[in-house]
Amino acid sequence: MNEAIDLNKLARLIAREIKKGDAVIVSPSEIATMCGYVPNSIPVRKILADPTFPPAFEVTPGGHRRYLREAVVAWIKDRYEEQSKLALATR
C-alpha cells in the first residue's frame, strides 16, 4: 500500500492539533482527551455531570457547551491532589 502523502494537508492538521493546546476554551471531546478517555464515554459523561466540575457555557447563544481550559485543568489537579492525599492516608 503505497499512498501519496499530501504534506501540506498533514502540516495543516498537525498545526490545528497544536493550536488546540493553546485554546482558552475546550469542548467535551477535548476534555476527554485531556483525561485520557474516549469522547462520549461513560467516564467522561460522569466527569461532566459531576457537580464539582466547572460549569459549561455557550460562547454564542444556542451554541455548543464549552468550558474554560484553566478551570478544567485546575479541577483535574484538585482531583489528583485529593486522590494522592487519600492514598497517603491509607498507608
Side-chain angles (χ1 to χ4, degrees):
M1 194 175 355
N2 191 6
E3 296 180 28
I5 297 174
D6 182 346
L7 294 179
N8 287 329
K9 183 177 180 180
L10 180 60
R12 284 191 302 273
L13 290 171
I14 291 170
R16 186 180 313 143
E17 290 301 313
I18 290 170
K19 284 183 181 180
K20 283 183 182 179
D22 295 336
V24 174
I25 58 174
V26 291
S27 67
S29 64
E30 290 168 321
I31 292 168
T33 302
M34 291 168 68
C35 295
Y37 292 115
V38 176
N40 229 6
S41 62
I42 291 172
V44 172
R45 284 186 246 144
K46 287 181 179 180
I47 289 170
L48 298 177
D50 186 321
T52 66
F53 195 74
F57 66 97
E58 295 173 352
V59 177
T60 58
H64 295 286
R65 61 188 178 155
R66 297 291 185 248
Y67 301 82
L68 286 175
R69 175 183 293 278
E70 182 178 291
V72 172
V73 169
W75 183 86
I76 293 168
K77 287 180 180 179
D78 287 346
R79 296 283 296 192
Y80 173 78
E81 288 175 15
E82 289 174 18
Q83 294 292 321
S84 296
K85 287 177 186 175
L86 286 173
L88 289 174
T90 59
R91 287 185 182 184

